[in-house]
Amino acid sequence: MKKIKKIIPIMMAAALTCASLPITAEADGAKVVTIGANLTDEQKKSMYDYFGTTPEAVNTIEVTNTDERKYMEGIASEAQIGTQTYSCSYVEPTTSGGIQVKVGNLTFVTSSMIASTLLTSGVENCNVVAAAPFEVSGTGALTGIMMAYEKASGETLSEEQKSAATEELVTTGALADSIGKEDAEKLMNEVKKEVIENGLTDADNIQDAITDAAKDHNITLTEEQMAQINSLMKNISKYDYDVNSLKQTLENLEGKVNDSGFFSNLWTSIKDFFTGGSDSGDGGIINGTKDEVLGDNAVIDSTLEPSGSESNTDEDKEEGGFWDKVTGFFKNLFGGSDKDEEEDKEDPETGETGENIVDNENENSEDPFGGTGLDENSETDGSDLTDEGTPAADGTSAADDGTGNDAGNPADANDIENNTAASGQTGTDNTDAAADKENTQ
């Protein structure tokens, strides 16, 4: 019996490995990278490194300023559109879990903004990484992401919805300049949820939803801001959306965690380790990014609280790697534990095993209440298992970017109009970046 207990974990792990091999190859074919056309070859290579992939492992689309203008012209200002395209993205469609996003070196557009606007464009489930080798506003990133999603999923998004998504991004950004990014995101997400869930199409009803949301979050809006949000929401209300997908993504943005049970979460963790997590909303490709490629001062923002799959503390490292945790779980599940090691020990004097030694000792130990001396409730149960798989949350604060402004703080109106970009603290070739500050996307 003891031998079987030890073999079962190994057999289970081997089965998982064999079952996962075909899935890995298939998943890679459904991942797409978009590269800003105005990056140098060295900068393009650095973005593949950051994404944790290679040009050979994914499909690649080069995004030009013309592509960005297709959706942004007439909605965004010329300063926001610019003439150069630097933003890149890595997109992985999923079958559940809503939309999860991570951004790197985007100073104006946040992960929450991208996730919410992707909902508007018609996307329901996917993992996205959007970044640049140096700091840019990121207003043009959405265009590349939508292009990548269509390529990766084989699904054609509505042109009208894509325009509405771009309008939402610009409107939310303008609102963020006035009331702050966090309040702007909360307000827009709450109003959109009300509009879609309750089928609001009348301007007066939408106005009431805006007023209530602003009151809930203690936000003061001008009449012009109210009118802009109302116009946007009336446009969004024209389209059909999956309410469940909407709720899932908005819950992701609110930091809520859907608990589907210990065994379900364990299976997801094991499967995602081998497959890259393409079937769930736990981050997938987001967990493979290499933040160090963007430099120490990179602005990092993610809808996932723990960013990245690597352990960041000595304590986590001492607890062992993924393989040890999986093996340890199955050992405990089937009764194989440290107790088995004691049972295998042999007394050098009597030749008896550790199990008999323990039994003999306890037979002679009398409990004052008439027991045998053994604690009948001492066996380890499932409740004793600890969650060792939670990665440490990475810091999102950015150091001073050299421009005199804290790179971790929201860009102010002047920064956005000038599209200020960092000029060389990322370790990449930024020779042309400074000259194109006014046209950076």
Side-chain angles (χ1 to χ4, degrees):
M1 181 62 185
K2 289 183 289 183
K3 298 295 184 183
I4 294 176
K5 289 178 182 178
K6 293 180 178 180
I7 292 173
I8 287 177
I10 299 174
M11 293 176 63
M12 292 290 289
L16 286 169
T17 303
C18 295
S20 68
L21 290 178
I23 300 176
T24 302
E26 184 178 339
D28 286 345
K31 297 174 184 176
V32 174
V33 166
T34 66
I35 294 290
N38 296 105
L39 294 177
T40 66
D41 289 342
E42 184 179 349
Q43 289 168 342
K44 291 176 182 179
K45 180 182 181 303
S46 74
M47 293 314 300
Y48 285 106
D49 292 341
Y50 169 68
F51 292 142
T53 188
T54 63
E56 295 75 25
V58 295
N59 291 310
T60 298
I61 299 174
E62 187 171 89
V63 181
T64 67
N65 187 254
T66 301
D67 294 322
E68 292 181 0
R69 285 181 175 275
K70 181 179 179 181
Y71 300 106
M72 297 184 69
E73 209 159 34
I75 297 175
S77 67
E78 277 298 315
Q80 289 172 321
I81 299 173
T83 59
Q84 308 291 314
T85 299
Y86 297 123
S87 299
C88 303
S89 68
Y90 188 18
V91 176
E92 171 189 43
T94 55
T95 57
S96 62
I99 301 170
Q100 296 283 14
V101 179
K102 178 176 182 178
V103 301
N105 271 340
L106 305 189
T107 59
F108 175 61
V109 174
T110 67
S111 60
S112 178
M113 287 183 193
I114 291 178
S116 184
T117 52
L118 280 177
L119 272 176
T120 301
S121 74
V123 175
E124 294 179 357
N125 302 289
C126 72
N127 296 319
V128 175
V129 183
F134 44 83
E135 290 184 6
V136 298
S137 67
T139 52
L142 182 62
T143 299
I145 294 169
M146 293 187 295
M147 292 172 64
Y149 178 81
E150 289 182 319
K151 176 73 173 178
S153 66
E155 176 185 351
T156 300
L157 300 173
S158 160
E159 293 296 318
E160 291 78 13
Q161 283 181 254
K162 287 191 284 188
S163 292
T166 303
E167 180 184 354
E168 181 183 341
L169 185 69
V170 174
T171 302
T172 305
L175 187 61
D177 289 342
S178 175
I179 65 175
K181 289 183 181 180
E182 185 175 350
D183 282 341
E185 292 165 0
K186 287 180 179 179
L187 178 70
M188 295 294 283
N189 290 342
E190 184 171 324
V191 174
K192 183 162 67 173
K193 184 178 179 181
E194 284 293 314
V195 169
I196 295 175
E197 280 190 345
N198 299 317
L200 305 182
T201 57
D202 182 74
D204 290 337
N205 292 333
I206 294 175
Q207 184 68 33
D208 290 340
I210 298 170
T211 301
D212 291 342
K215 183 178 180 180
D216 290 343
H217 296 289
N218 196 27
I219 296 171
T220 301
L221 299 173
T222 66
E223 291 186 7
E224 183 180 359
Q225 289 169 336
M226 296 276 276
Q228 287 177 335
I229 298 172
N230 199 316
S231 175
L232 169 65
M233 293 301 166
K234 190 168 178 57
N235 187 15
I236 290 175
S237 70
K238 299 176 184 177
Y239 312 109
D240 293 327
Y241 293 96
D242 185 285
V243 175
N244 290 330
S245 295
L246 171 81
K247 287 181 177 179
Q248 175 68 70
T249 294
L250 293 182
E251 285 177 356
N252 291 343
L253 302 185
E254 292 170 2
K256 295 180 180 178
V257 178
N258 294 323
D259 184 7
S260 55
F262 177 76
F263 288 100
S264 175
N265 289 335
L266 174 76
W267 172 253
T268 299
S269 297
I270 295 172
K271 181 177 66 174
D272 291 349
F273 175 78
F274 292 109
T275 66
S278 59
D279 292 328
S280 66
D282 68 345
I285 57 174
I286 294 176
N287 296 319
T289 55
K290 300 176 181 178
D291 294 344
E292 65 274 11
V293 173
L294 300 184
D296 295 335
N297 296 330
V299 178
I300 305 296
D301 173 37
S302 174
T303 58
L304 293 171
E305 288 185 1
S307 179
S309 59
E310 294 183 358
S311 172
N312 293 322
T313 66
D314 293 336
E315 181 180 351
D316 290 336
K317 293 175 182 178
E318 290 173 0
E319 288 176 351
F322 176 86
W323 188 263
D324 292 335
K325 293 170 187 175
V326 172
T327 305
F329 167 77
F330 283 112
K331 283 178 64 179
N332 288 328
L333 180 65
F334 293 102
S337 63
D338 291 340
K339 183 179 177 181
D340 290 333
E341 296 180 5
E342 293 296 328
E343 291 176 352
D344 291 336
K345 292 180 181 178
E346 184 176 298
D347 191 312
E349 295 182 2
T350 65
E352 293 182 332
T353 64
E355 180 179 12
N356 292 330
I357 294 173
V358 172
D359 289 343
N360 290 336
E361 290 176 351
N362 283 306
E363 284 176 1
N364 298 325
S365 176
E366 186 173 315
D367 190 294
F369 297 100
T372 62
L374 290 174
D375 180 2
E376 296 178 353
N377 296 318
S378 64
E379 291 293 332
T380 301
D381 59 17
S383 64
D384 292 324
L385 295 174
T386 59
D387 178 12
E388 298 178 343
T390 305
D394 65 316
T396 57
S397 298
D400 189 292
D401 61 2
T403 65
N405 294 321
D406 185 343
N409 292 330
D412 60 21
N414 291 330
D415 291 332
I416 294 160
E417 288 298 326
N418 294 326
N419 290 290
T420 303
S423 61
Q425 298 190 21
T426 61
T428 57
D429 183 2
N430 300 324
T431 304
D432 298 329
D436 295 322
K437 285 182 180 179
E438 297 181 357
N439 301 310
T440 298
Q441 299 300 323

